[in-house]
Amino acid sequence: PAVPALRSLERGTQHLKNAPKDVAAWAALGVHYVGQARITGDPSWYAKAQGAVAESLRLNRTTNFLGYAGEAILANARHDFRDAETAARKGIAINGYNSTLYGALGDALTQLGRYDEAAAAIDKMNTLLPGIPAFTRASYVFELRGDVAGSRRALDRALTDATGPSDRAFTEYYLGD
């Protein structure tokens, strides 16, 4: 499974008050905070994300692949791509079937200019859990290789899968671009 989504910050923090050792919830809260930073443009959310992800990993570094996914997503958001790669690979060593980890790895490798390795990570992500996150990343891989038609096919596939207005808008924006 992907990193579990929280319905709201309030529900997530309330859950953690009742279950403070829930490593998956701490990781999900961290990812949610990264999303808030992206939406609001307010980097103070990164410190909150760091705290939540650190707590997840403090509680369990051995089998907590979701904590490493959160760490990789946060590192990518901060443009710490080497740290993102390291965290994603640690998570993959624990659970090689988590698409979120392969997405984070692919993002980091793309930004590090290691395009063939990034493409392999995104291919694995698409194999594990095809969907908007995987298709849009595949579109970027195609674009980087100069394959505009392939890029468009991947985005068309993402648009077909889009169910909510934000997913449709995201995909239509990149199709227009």
Side-chain angles (χ1 to χ4, degrees), residues 24-88:
W26 280 112
L29 184 62
V31 170
H32 190 77
Y33 286 150
V34 171
Q36 289 299 305
R38 188 173 299 128
I39 291 166
T40 64
D42 180 357
S44 70
W45 287 101
Y46 292 143
K48 293 177 182 183
Q50 179 64 48
V53 169
E55 181 62 12
S56 179
L57 289 170
R58 185 191 69 76
L59 290 167
N60 179 349
R61 286 193 167 278
T62 308
T63 60
N64 185 7
F65 64 94
L66 294 174
Y68 289 111
E71 187 173 60
I73 290 166
L74 174 60
N76 274 327
R78 288 180 161 167
H79 294 191
D80 295 331
F81 302 118
R82 281 183 176 61
D83 288 349
E85 177 189 4
T86 298

